[in-house]
Amino acid sequence: MTKRKGYHHGNLQVGLVAAGLELVRKNGASALTTRACAQWNGVSSSAVFRHFRDRRALLRAVAAEGFAMLARTTAIDDPALTRQDRLLAIGGAYLRFAIEEPNLFRLMYGADALDPADPDPDPDLEAAADPLLAQTAFAAGAEGDMSDARTLLAWSIVHGLAMLTLDNQLEGLVPSDPRERAERLEAILVHALPLFADADTGERKGLN
């Protein structure tokens, strides 16, 4: 890793997260250590703990940045899109992000970061993750309700495809080239969209 200088005082926290992000994207979550992030910024290891109480706090900050990146990637601003086209656009962007950023994607949804059963949840991380599920809820016809069955179904389909791909469970079933793989997965999503076709009428058909 290239050693960086200039992250002092007020912006050291930003530099530490940037270091963690680079480490994770290149080498996975295990590469993220307080010592490596300190070295990247040209400061002592003890300086890290002025901003993060431990490695996990730093890891969560990196995960939050990952969710911010994913939110920007999946932001769909075209009001002319139909609900299903919006859901396809969000799902396709989600899948491409997972394929292009596998190490970061795993960190974001790993137990060390976003664990619903965690007795000590990170509010900043949860706040970073919520917008993605919220816009999925609107696209699925659930009017922003993140606990609605249609929201959970839509997210499960997309996230399930992403994880199956990252775990190589679709090997031989989808192309190995990343771009072709993303296109194939988006085509699979098209087949799932009729499940949400009744959303505009308000009919639930047993989905609640």
Side-chain angles (χ1 to χ4, degrees), residues 38-54:
Q39 290 178 336
W40 193 85
N41 284 280
V43 299
S44 66
S45 296
S46 62
V48 175
F49 302 108
R50 298 171 192 162
H51 300 277
F52 299 100
R53 66 184 182 187
D54 53 24

Side-chain angles (χ1 to χ4, degrees), residues 4-136:
R4 304 291 179 90
K5 294 182 178 180
Y7 291 109
H8 298 295
H9 305 295
N11 61 351
L12 176 57
Q13 184 171 344
V14 174
L16 292 170
V17 173
L21 188 63
E22 181 175 304
L23 284 163
V24 170
R25 294 172 81 179
K26 288 186 175 180
N27 300 307
S30 62
L32 193 162
T33 65
T34 55
R35 181 177 182 180
C37 290
Q39 290 178 336
W40 193 85
N41 284 280
V43 299
S44 66
S45 296
S46 62
V48 175
F49 302 108
R50 298 171 192 162
H51 300 277
F52 299 100
R53 66 184 182 187
D54 53 24
R55 174 184 178 273
R56 190 183 185 197
L58 177 55
L59 181 148
R60 285 174 160 183
V62 172
E65 180 60 28
F67 277 110
M69 293 168 58
L70 180 56
R72 291 192 293 270
T73 299
T74 57
I76 308 299
D77 297 324
D78 187 352
L81 289 178
T82 65
R83 185 168 287 153
Q84 291 188 16
D85 285 343
R86 183 178 297 273
L87 195 57
L88 177 61
I90 293 171
Y94 189 99
L95 289 169
R96 288 192 297 274
F97 182 91
I99 292 171
E100 293 168 4
E101 299 284 357
N103 292 334
L104 181 57
F105 189 84
R106 287 185 185 279
L107 170 72
M108 290 158 53
Y109 288 103
D112 282 340
L114 198 63
D115 182 0
D118 196 329
D120 182 27
D122 185 328
D124 292 336
L125 179 56
E126 292 183 346
D130 282 350
L132 176 64
L133 196 55
Q135 68 170 327
T136 299

Side-chain angles (χ1 to χ4, degrees), residues 136-205:
T136 299
F138 279 109
E143 299 180 352
D145 184 354
M146 292 187 285
S147 66
D148 188 285
R150 289 168 294 181
T151 306
L152 300 179
L153 177 61
W155 183 54
S156 296
I157 291 170
V158 177
H159 189 75
L161 283 172
M163 292 309 301
L164 285 170
T165 299
L166 296 189
D167 290 338
N168 295 318
Q169 296 301 312
L170 298 181
E171 198 69 31
L173 302 176
V174 295
S176 57
D177 177 78
R179 185 176 66 178
E180 293 179 0
R181 175 168 289 191
E183 291 174 351
R184 172 59 177 154
L185 292 177
E186 288 183 55
I188 292 172
L189 285 183
V190 172
H191 291 282
L193 291 180
L195 294 170
F196 304 93
D198 66 328
D200 286 322
T201 67
E203 298 175 9
R204 300 299 180 91
K205 296 184 180 180

